[in-house]
Amino acid sequence: VTKSETSSEEEIKNEAKDALGQVLQEKELAVENVRGEPFVGNRHGIGFTGLPERVRALEERQSALEDEVNLLWDDLSTLKLCVPEYSRVRNRFISTFKRDKLNNATELDIDIIQKGNTIAYEGDAAVDALLYEGLNRRRDTFAFKELYGLHPADVVKITHKETINILNIHARVRADRHKTGADEFYRRFAEYVHLFEGSDYDERYLTTGSQCADVARAYWSLL
């Protein structure tokens, strides 16, 4: 309805009432409970009620699924790495036997031993923590804590690659037979572990806006 600038306020009200009455006569209205609240509208409109909330819920679910997929990919990557690494260590065992007991090690055996030595002397917190599980588990958790700073039962729960990397760096330095880490390095690592434990092992400390800025600072001080 077009209204001129000279229309009175009363005329505008009457026209609005007439228009509303016409809509009420032509359109079938319904009353339904939508999310626990009564809603009045036509059937078409009711179908869209709560749509923003439903879209938001779907977006949140999608985000959660994406996080789960990322974790699964991380687990898959870890498994892919573990199999060849373990294979090299076991190959080293047999080649070392040939060298030390059978005295017939080939050049290939020597190469296998050298590669196996490199792997055996590297830290691998995620895999080594699993050695403390199961019926035939290791029981010298004190040795694990000396290497990695944390109890194996806590390490198996960690999925944050950067955290695992820091633990591995400490283990490599700690276990090196030819070099000794500086006191400052060990002090910084101890501070990092203390703060990480104090955050209840919150792995989001490197995320922008994290409440664990002190853990992040301790982390970066080790690199």
Side-chain angles (χ1 to χ4, degrees):
V1 179
T2 303
K3 295 173 283 295
S4 66
E5 295 181 359
T6 59
S7 297
S8 67
E9 182 178 342
E10 192 63 30
E11 289 175 339
I12 294 175
K13 290 181 179 180
N14 290 334
E15 290 175 357
K17 290 179 181 179
D18 291 341
L20 177 59
Q22 185 177 358
V23 170
L24 291 175
Q25 291 177 2
E26 294 178 356
K27 303 294 183 179
E28 180 183 356
L29 299 180
V31 179
E32 290 190 11
N33 283 323
V34 179
R35 297 181 179 273
E37 296 291 336
F39 180 85
V40 180
N42 59 39
R43 296 293 179 183
H44 183 70
I46 288 177
F48 290 101
T49 305
L51 182 60
E53 290 78 5
R54 295 200 295 271
V55 170
R56 185 161 50 251
L58 288 173
E59 290 175 343
E60 292 175 355
R61 178 57 179 161
Q62 179 184 359
S63 177
L65 289 174
E66 289 175 352
D67 291 341
E68 291 179 15
V69 169
N70 289 334
L71 288 176
L72 289 174
W73 274 113
D74 288 343
D75 291 343
L76 180 60
S77 299
T78 300
L79 289 173
K80 286 180 178 178
L81 289 172
C82 288
V83 173
E85 305 291 355
Y86 185 74
S87 175
R88 290 180 187 177
V89 171
R90 301 321 305 162
N91 272 317
R92 171 179 173 269
F93 174 76
I94 297 174
S95 293
T96 301
F97 172 72
K98 290 172 65 179
R99 183 194 65 184
D100 296 345
K101 297 295 182 178
L102 301 181
N103 298 316
N104 63 354
T106 65
E107 291 185 5
L108 178 59
D109 287 317
I110 300 302
D111 184 57
I112 289 174
I113 292 171
Q114 291 174 344
K115 290 180 178 178
N117 284 340
T118 300
I119 297 165
Y121 297 144
E122 289 287 325
D124 195 336
V127 174
D128 289 355
L130 298 176
L131 298 175
Y132 292 83
E133 295 187 340
L135 293 176
N136 297 318
R137 64 183 180 277
R138 297 183 67 104
R139 302 183 186 278
D140 52 351
T141 55
F142 67 90
F144 185 93
K145 290 194 68 174
E146 283 288 332
L147 282 170
Y148 297 107
L150 297 171
H151 194 281
D154 295 320
V155 173
V156 294
K157 302 173 186 176
I158 297 175
T159 59
H160 189 235
K161 290 181 290 187
E162 286 79 2
T163 299
I164 292 295
N165 182 54
I166 284 294
L167 302 184
N168 290 343
I169 290 174
H170 178 268
R172 182 173 67 245
V173 175
R174 187 76 173 81
D176 196 305
R177 293 187 301 174
H178 306 293
K179 295 184 292 183
T180 301
D183 291 340
E184 180 64 14
F185 171 78
Y186 291 126
R187 186 194 67 77
R188 292 183 181 184
F189 181 78
E191 181 183 14
Y192 165 76
V193 169
H194 174 71
L195 293 172
F196 184 53
E197 289 177 323
S199 73
D200 196 23
Y201 306 96
D202 189 340
E203 300 177 18
R204 299 169 297 177
Y205 57 85
L206 295 180
T207 304
T208 302
S210 168
Q211 300 299 314
C212 305
D214 52 349
V215 183
R217 283 193 295 270
Y219 168 87
W220 289 116
S221 74
L222 291 165
L223 298 178

